[in-house]
Each structure stands twice: as C-alpha cells, then as structure tokens.
Amino acid sequence: MIGRPLPLCDLGFRSTLELVADMPEVVRICPYEKGTFILKAIADETTKAIAKLVARQRRSAKARRSAAVKGDAASPSKNPQNCPWKGRAPVLPLTVKAELQDLLS
C-alpha cells in the first residue's frame, strides 16, 4: 500500500507476524492448515456492516488458500543482529498503529 517495505526493525519488530501480533484490537491471527495463518481484520463500529456482508459471502477453497499467510512470514528478518532494539520489547507508535488499522479497514 505504501510502495515500500514496512520498516519492521525501526519499529522494533523482527517480522510482519510479530507486528500484527502486537495489534490484537486490529487483527486476529488464526491458525490455518500446515503451519499457515489467516489474518482477520477486527471490525470496529464503522466497519461492522461491511464485516457482516463479507462473512456471508461464500468463498471458494482457492480464495481461502490465496488469503492464507505462509508460516515463513513469522521468520525473522534477514539480519536481525543489526536491529538497534535488540533485547528490548518492541513498541509500536500509536500513529503507525492507527495508520495500519485504517489500511485494514
């Protein structure tokens, strides 16, 4: 969406899955099959009607598979030793969290 990779290390995370796991009010990580995951956006008051419509849709097995996030998304970045936050708990800035929530909406 933003035309460049997420700056995970700068935000204090090693993987996209770790970033998403830090936002339980925005997205839910659901185990799928064979070590894969599906990321489900959590509806708020402004998106509940859309979420209900989407829930009623029938999806083919192919669509569900294409929406699955591979388990390798949880693997650390190529060079985690270069992360300046090593050893500290990651802290996602509220502005970044709000922007990601807006994108998921």
Side-chain angles (χ1 to χ4, degrees):
M1 291 293 276
I2 61 173
R4 59 181 185 248
L6 289 171
L8 296 172
C9 185
D10 294 342
L11 295 171
F13 297 96
R14 289 177 281 201
S15 68
T16 306
L17 193 59
E18 191 177 285
L19 168 76
V20 170
D22 194 51
M23 299 186 300
E25 69 281 357
V26 176
V27 65
R28 185 173 63 229
I29 302 170
C30 301
Y32 193 55
E33 54 189 33
K34 297 181 183 176
T36 61
F37 301 93
I38 294 178
L39 303 178
K40 294 186 178 183
I42 297 177
D44 61 10
E45 292 303 317
T46 61
T47 59
K48 280 190 179 183
I50 296 170
K52 285 181 183 178
L53 291 172
V54 171
R56 283 191 240 153
Q57 288 180 341
R58 288 187 174 194
R59 289 183 155 193
S60 68
K62 183 177 180 180
R64 282 194 301 271
R65 269 186 258 121
S66 67
V69 177
K70 300 294 180 201
D72 61 350
S75 65
S77 63
K78 291 178 183 170
N79 200 356
Q81 300 85 279
N82 294 336
C83 290
W85 57 268
K86 189 176 179 182
R88 294 181 289 175
V91 177
L92 185 63
L94 292 176
T95 55
V96 174
K97 189 179 277 192
E99 288 175 11
L100 288 171
Q101 186 170 13
D102 187 44
L103 283 171
L104 289 170
S105 296

